[in-house]
Amino acid sequence: MIFARENGRTIPKEDKIFSISNRAKAKIKEVGKDKVINGTIGALVDDEGELIVLDSVKRVFASLTAEDYAPYAPIRGIPEFREAVQKAAFGSYVPKGFTEVCATPGGTGGVRNTIANFSSLGEKVLVADWFWAPYKTICQELGRELKTFNFINDEGTLDVESFRTNVLEILSEQDGLVVILNTPAHNPTGYSITVDEWKRIKDVFQEIPEDKRVTLLVDAAYIDFAGDEEEVRSFLPILDDMPENVLPIMGYSASKTFTMYGMRCGAMICMAKTAEVADEFRKVTEVSSRASWSNCNRAPQTIIAKIFQDPELKQKVDEERAAYRDMLLKRGKTFEAEAKRIGLRIVPFDAGFFVSIPMPNADAVAQELEKEGIFLVPLAKGLRVSVAAVSEEKAKILPQKIKDCMERLG
């Protein structure tokens, strides 16, 4: 007897990534850490495989009183958090228009709220063809259709022409469109859209008829591990300069930036041209939040507010994060350099938690690698490696292991 309704969703027996990760953990218990490479984890760990949490953040957490974490937070987040998270997301840049903030449970909540509020049932949502799998799950859950454009062209840069074709084609069929661009440090490839590419994206949007609407969600979950804080935000003025019928929304993951993954803290921030649009954003996201998670965890909001109220503390947090960011970049660049040396093709990598290797038989390769104690995540277009989860030493040996396996399987 079946009670649950599929409602157009694909419901797997188990989550692929977590099931692979669980097998990796079981293998570690069986043979030891040294004989296993667990490249599945979407969180930053040290060379011993232990989760990294910023010491400065831990100290703030330990200082919280019951009043700091026990009361319900307002649905949109506590005021101090809403102010602080804009500084965290935008850095030194100050948007020219009207901003509004809605607290979300991690970056995922911002994706959910954007799709729920700025698209209609049955409409298409556009993402790159290398994408974070929950985008599809959320679309299915909300009765939307995920549509993809070709992410990287033959020159190894953003395929703006494919983007243009899909945007205009979809908008010939529907009045509005939600576009999700995961950048900088794209999940799952590590690619970052350049300033020149952003200018070309804006050119595409300028071709849209005035009676059409685009909501552009920039999923910037990994922005603070993507490189120099100011340089990686150099695209923000272009967002501010988008046409009137484009609403940019920045999705920010405080869970990652402040290494509080399990506390589920993030925000969606609109960059509206008018106060009217910003007020509309505030109203609809508040209603949508109330109807799903109600309100978010107060403790991480308080922690972030306290960090931004204390310049000395913020400097310590920034310095500590920068050291781990450098470690992460070394791992990624080591993998990239070794892949290039041995002739293993990867999707162009700039920064971030992941590197991806295009291949048609990723599931078979992943299963074969597990026999060697190597656990990676197969995707529709290739294999994902979490350089956030492996040491620099392991990042160097992985490309050859992967290439050898691919050649064995043909």
Side-chain angles (χ1 to χ4, degrees):
M1 186 178 295
I2 298 174
F3 289 87
R5 301 291 191 267
E6 289 190 4
N7 294 327
R9 299 172 295 173
T10 301
I11 302 177
K13 292 181 179 179
E14 59 182 349
D15 182 273
K16 178 186 284 189
I17 296 177
F18 283 102
S19 64
I20 298 171
S21 181
N22 287 337
R23 292 199 296 274
K25 291 174 184 176
K27 192 69 174 178
I28 288 171
K29 286 184 178 180
E30 178 187 344
V31 301
K33 286 183 180 181
D34 293 343
K35 295 182 175 65
V36 175
I37 298 178
N38 183 2
T40 68
I41 303 167
L44 189 59
V45 302
D46 63 21
D47 289 349
E48 304 304 316
E50 299 299 324
L51 183 70
I52 289 171
V53 182
L54 301 179
D55 287 336
S56 45
V57 172
K58 284 193 286 187
R59 287 195 291 272
V60 181
F61 180 75
S63 73
L64 297 184
T65 66
E67 289 73 22
D68 289 327
Y69 62 79
Y72 286 120
I75 294 172
R76 293 190 300 121
I78 63 174
E80 299 86 353
F81 169 76
R82 296 202 305 270
E83 179 182 349
V85 80
Q86 291 191 67
K87 296 175 182 176
F90 295 133
S92 64
Y93 183 73
V94 179
K96 295 186 294 184
F98 298 84
T99 60
E100 281 287 352
V101 178
C102 180
T104 59
T108 310
V111 176
R112 187 263 170 211
N113 258 4
T114 299
I115 294 172
N117 287 289
F118 297 96
S119 66
S120 297
L121 281 170
E123 285 190 345
K124 294 174 181 176
V125 173
L126 186 63
V127 304
D129 59 357
W130 286 91
F131 62 88
W132 185 51
Y135 289 163
K136 186 172 184 178
T137 306
I138 293 168
C139 283
Q140 289 182 336
E141 186 78 9
L142 295 173
R144 275 62 165 179
E145 179 186 351
L146 191 77
K147 184 78 164 57
T148 63
F149 68 93
N150 187 56
F151 187 35
I152 303 296
N153 59 26
D154 293 339
E155 286 73 46
T157 61
L158 182 72
D159 194 337
V160 180
E161 285 309 308
S162 177
F163 178 77
R164 176 183 180 275
T165 298
N166 279 275
V167 167
L168 297 180
E169 180 181 299
I170 295 172
L171 283 174
S172 71
E173 304 167 353
Q174 57 192 52
D175 292 334
L177 173 63
V178 169
V179 175
I180 303 175
L181 295 177
N182 188 304
T183 189
H186 172 264
N187 176 5
T189 69
Y191 187 85
S192 297
I193 296 176
T194 68
V195 169
D196 285 342
E197 289 166 346
W198 270 113
K199 290 176 181 177
R200 294 180 66 196
I201 289 169
K202 188 183 80 169
D203 290 342
V204 171
F205 289 147
Q206 287 175 329
E207 296 182 45
I208 298 169
E210 291 183 3
D211 61 341
K212 302 288 186 175
R213 299 287 183 268
V214 169
T215 302
L216 172 61
L217 175 63
V218 181
D219 185 351
Y222 297 92
I223 192 167
D224 287 306
F225 288 97
D228 178 80
E229 291 91 339
E230 297 304 315
E231 185 177 338
V232 298
R233 289 170 168 82
S234 57
F235 68 94
L236 291 175
I238 303 172
L239 289 188
D240 245 344
D241 199 33
M242 287 290 174
E244 291 277 345
N245 56 348
V246 176
L247 174 63
I249 298 173
M250 190 165 180
Y252 185 77
S253 175
S255 304
K256 291 182 178 64
T257 293
F258 296 93
T259 63
M260 300 186 290
Y261 307 96
M263 299 188 77
R264 309 309 300 136
C265 183
M268 53 191 304
I269 311 166
C270 78
M271 301 171 67
K273 290 285 196 300
T274 66
E276 179 185 19
V277 172
D279 189 53
E280 174 192 70
F281 172 92
R282 177 186 62 79
K283 290 176 180 175
V284 299
T285 56
E286 188 168 28
V287 169
S288 198
S289 298
R290 183 63 167 141
S292 49
W293 53 79
S294 189
N295 49 11
C296 294
N297 192 332
R298 189 185 193 102
Q301 296 180 47
T302 304
I303 290 170
I304 292 165
K306 287 180 178 292
I307 288 170
F308 277 83
Q309 289 165 356
D310 184 338
E312 185 177 339
L313 174 60
K314 183 180 179 300
Q315 183 177 349
K316 290 179 181 177
V317 172
D318 290 345
E319 289 173 353
E320 195 176 354
R321 186 192 302 115
Y324 288 124
R325 181 175 63 239
D326 290 345
M327 178 194 75
L328 176 63
L329 285 168
K330 284 181 181 178
R331 292 175 180 177
K333 292 300 181 182
T334 295
F335 187 101
E336 179 188 40
E338 186 63 15
K340 182 178 181 180
R341 187 187 72 80
I342 66 171
L344 176 68
R345 186 168 71 95
I346 68 172
V347 181
F349 172 85
D350 292 300
F353 281 30
F354 307 108
V355 177
S356 287
I357 304 98
M359 64 182 71
N361 56 342
D363 282 295
V365 172
Q367 290 172 18
E368 186 71 14
L369 285 169
E370 286 192 19
K371 297 176 184 177
E372 302 179 43
I374 298 171
F375 295 82
L376 307 175
V377 176
L379 306 173
K381 291 176 66 69
L383 201 62
R384 189 193 82 175
V385 179
S386 172
V387 290
V390 300
S391 66
E392 187 176 346
E393 178 186 0
K394 289 179 178 179
K396 187 171 184 177
I397 67 173
L398 266 173
Q400 189 68 60
K401 297 280 189 182
I402 294 168
K403 186 183 181 186
D404 290 346
C405 184
M406 290 172 66
E407 290 175 347
R408 284 199 309 271
L409 295 179

